[in-house]
Amino acid sequence: MAGSWATFGVDLHVDVARTGSGLRRGLTDALREAVRGGRLAPGVRLPSSRSLAADLGIARNTVADAYADLVAEGWLTARQGSGTRVAQRDVPVPASPTRRPRSPRGPAYDLVPGTPDLASFPRGEWLKAYRRALTAAPNDALGYGDPRGRVELRTALAGYLARARGVRADPEHILICSGFVHGLILLGEVLRRRGARTLAVESYGLDVHWDLIERAGLESVPLPFDELGTRTDDLAERGRGSGARAGGGTLGGVLLTPAHQFPMGVPLRPERRAAVVDWARRTGGLILEDDYDGEFRYDRQPVGALQGLDPDRVVYFGTASKALAPGLRLGWLVLPPDVAPEVMAAKGGADWSCGVLDQLTLAEFITSGAYDRHVRASRLRYRRRRDQLVTALAARAPSVTATGIAAGFHAVLRLPPGTEQSVVRAAAWHGLAAHGLTRYRHPAATLPPTDALVVGYGTPSDSGWPGALETLCAALP
């Protein structure tokens, strides 16, 4: 039996053989071959089951069942309001010595860590805060402004950070920046001017941060790492007899994620916190504390900021990127009094990097209580996803263990030895964007390699999370 249709821009001859296996099997095979051979391109919308059934002279249920089979196999996608389309992925081809299977064109799900659920951004509350802030803003607020940022936001942050993170902050020593990267650029310039040549970092972290350190004229030197987390006792040997202002290979500071090490997820132990503070006091070095997700803790009392131990030696970095959205480009530095003038000088004479209205809106958002309500709701959402992830792994991938899950919205999935690269490839083939742990290992780190997948469970929307979790389990060993 043969038929053709001309719907939604498609004009394709379909040969549906009437065989013993039935019309459903014949139509399924014909459509699969049309996709495999490229006659149905990725993204093409197929006719409705009613239209195709009428054109081919067969029952509508037969077409609907064939579509459902191909959706389950991954050849088609079906979404309410969007119809049935050819999936956005390449067609797998048999492997041969000269031809290798191709990967998907683009991921269907993004589990790369670092981004929150943007669909849950509180648009309504943010708009209300924006209107209130704009109405109350004095005319001079719309000028170039203080390089430290709007005093309304600095004051709101000082109060919030004190009660929520244990930070000792004076609004006079808070500087608003356009995110962590901007803050790191400023501190890198200050350290270099002070005579520093190196900055200690954790063995696991982000290459973009290491690159920025190098561009600032500093060498990033990884600290040892063990099952208890980053070892700060090594700083005593590296910094013995030299301070941040000394020349010639001086260790000027250390960059840490003490509340929830990224990506391994372990907090810095109390004795190691004390050791790094002792080193900073003795040598004059600076501790750069990246508190990137300190508000999201689930299984025990929140781990307070390291800055509370010594505000004179710790530069505290915070942003709205995880709690709200990275697109706001709002971050803040809580600076030691003797460091604040240097960082402000590095930023420049005007607040060119952060929009005044966004600053005023965030200040209103915090003082009105909307920020706390949003963080609490997000915490419940991410904890629920974390629990669902752990349950799914236990049921479907018992050889995989999730670690670092007491806080934040990413997990490290420990894999059987030697399987990381194959799992990363399998995830990509299933349409899943995910990174292996190797990607976050400092190139100069000496610790033994660990096979693992770093999975961010915050990025998908609530409606997309079940599909992302199902796809992840399908890719795991």
Side-chain angles (χ1 to χ4, degrees), residues 72-73 162 272 300 347 464:
E73 293 176 15
R272 296 184 179 184
R300 57 177 180 268
K347 186 180 181 185

Side-chain angles (χ1 to χ4, degrees), residues 168 277-278 280-281 287 306-315 336:
R168 289 190 274 169
V277 170
D278 179 66
R281 290 170 176 169
I287 303 168
L306 180 65
Q307 190 265 4
L309 295 180
D310 194 339
D312 292 331
R313 302 272 24 111
V314 180
V315 177

Side-chain angles (χ1 to χ4, degrees), residues 415-439:
L415 302 171
T419 63
E420 179 180 306
Q421 293 306 312
S422 62
V423 171
V424 171
R425 288 193 296 268
W429 177 249
H430 281 79
L432 191 70
H435 290 166
L437 180 60
T438 302
R439 184 186 184 99

